[in-house]
Amino acid sequence: MKKVTINTLMKLKEEGRKFASSTAYDASFAQLFEQQEMPVLLVGDSLGMVLQGKPDTLPVTVEDVAYHTRCVRAGSPNSLLMADMPFMSYATPEQACLEAAKLMQAGANMVKLEGGSWLAETVRMLTERAVPVCAHLGLTPQSVNIFGGFKVQGREQEQADQMVKDALELQAAGAQIILLECIPAELAERITKALSVPVIGIGTGNVTDGQILVMHDMFGISANYMPKFSKNFLAETGDMRSAVTKYIEDVESGAFPGPDHTIA
Ligand code: KIV
């Protein structure tokens, strides 16, 4: 696979071509993903749930993410590799810079942070210091205790309008990718059209520029539960390489996520 950069994704967005991405946590799967030409990988703090068996992502540390980032980078030298900044590792802009440096030095190309316009100053500070940022909006799992569960966000008009404003503000602050999780497809489409940077969705319908799945959901092997918007591509294809290829093809053609895997 040719080296993937933010410019690759910008070009795809300009050309109206969709792209797939997946979480990854180790070198072997990272290599398999790279061999099947998955352009973007994320070392998600979902590792707390799918690797560590915890009920949420809050116990994950920067050291955990840095360790798995080193593993994934070893298996996939050419993907655009994002790494999650864990809960409370970016409580202040200064702290965010120091912790993000550890993830960049572990091999990440970009860090991902959860939150709205309150993060703008942090995004600006990171970007000015050469740390590219993906901002995660919608169902931000680190806020599970504020939300009272893993619930769809953005259903109310006021909340939806605020999310559009947040996305624009984060883009203006320097965010190079916006990731949307579990929001109605109509809102995801509104945000995708309003932004010039690529938008990646999970549980948002096929309206965003890119899609992401937690790899354990793609293979139907999650320890906890399978979200309704995910799809077990392994069950459909019978082997892991074909499952990954089918996922990529279905995202690129717009076949996934279809109506059965979309939040109305
Ligand atoms: O941690 C993670 O895996 C994520 C995805 C749900 C996008 O943030």
Side-chain angles (χ1 to χ4, degrees):
M1 184 169 76
K2 259 179 73 182
K3 188 109 194 128
V4 180
T5 69
I6 185 61
N7 299 333
T8 318
L9 304 185
M10 288 296 292
K11 189 156 184 281
L12 289 173
K13 176 159 181 142
E14 278 160 27
E15 292 170 356
R17 289 166 59 199
K18 294 185 184 295
F19 60 89
S21 61
S22 173
T23 64
Y25 313 95
D26 68 49
S28 299
F29 274 108
Q31 187 183 55
L32 186 150
F33 287 137
E34 173 139 346
Q35 285 167 349
Q36 305 313 113
E37 307 226 345
M38 183 83 77
V40 181
L41 295 177
L42 166 69
V43 178
D45 59 358
S46 51
L47 72 86
M49 298 170 83
V50 295
L51 300 191
Q52 299 173 346
K54 305 270 170 55
D56 56 47
T57 59
L58 273 58
V60 174
T61 64
V62 172
E63 285 63 38
D64 289 337
V65 179
Y67 170 80
H68 289 283
T69 299
R70 280 192 291 276
C71 297
V72 170
R73 184 44 96 203
S76 174
N78 294 314
S79 59
L80 187 145
L81 179 56
M82 301 196 291
D84 256 340
M85 298 206 60
F87 177 66
M88 215 42 84
S89 66
Y90 49 100
T92 65
E94 292 74 17
Q95 185 198 10
C97 287
L98 297 176
E99 302 295 10
K102 295 179 190 164
L103 303 183
M104 297 299 285
Q105 287 173 335
N109 301 118
M110 184 176 282
V111 297
K112 177 164 80 62
L113 291 79
E114 298 181 6
S117 51
W118 69 270
L119 269 180
E121 191 193 340
T122 304
V123 171
R124 194 166 293 111
M125 196 148 158
L126 284 166
T127 311
E128 283 169 350
R129 284 156 186 76
V131 179
V133 175
C134 167
H136 184 157
L137 291 168
L139 169 49
T140 45
Q142 290 169 19
S143 302
V144 61
N145 293 303
I146 298 280
F147 295 150
F150 295 102
K151 293 178 191 303
V152 175
Q153 300 296 307
R155 284 207 193 279
E156 308 297 327
Q157 192 59 47
E158 201 180 320
Q159 206 194 12
D161 292 344
Q162 184 60 48
M163 214 181 289
V164 177
K165 276 193 202 148
D166 286 349
L168 285 166
E169 206 171 318
L170 291 163
Q171 174 180 264
Q176 290 183 299
I177 296 181
I178 301 289
L179 189 145
L180 303 174
E181 178 165 355
C182 276
I183 62 172
E186 200 185 320
L187 174 58
E189 186 166 25
R190 207 177 134 195
I191 295 174
T192 305
K193 285 187 173 154
L195 297 184
S196 56
V197 298
V199 176
I200 299 179
I202 175 165
T204 59
N206 66 358
V207 294
T208 50
D209 305 304
Q211 293 289 325
I212 190 162
L213 279 184
V214 171
M215 58 164 275
H216 293 65
D217 294 340
M218 192 193 312
F219 298 133
I221 54 166
S222 291
N224 295 314
Y225 87 110
M226 176 83 165
K228 229 184 87 205
F229 56 77
S230 285
K231 184 169 168 187
N232 178 350
F233 284 88
L234 183 56
E236 195 177 321
T237 55
D239 79 280
M240 283 187 174
R241 281 183 196 281
S242 310
V244 173
T245 299
K246 178 83 176 125
Y247 164 59
I248 295 171
E249 285 173 359
D250 282 4
V251 168
E252 289 177 355
S253 72
F256 178 80
D260 291 352
H261 300 98
T262 296
I263 297 163

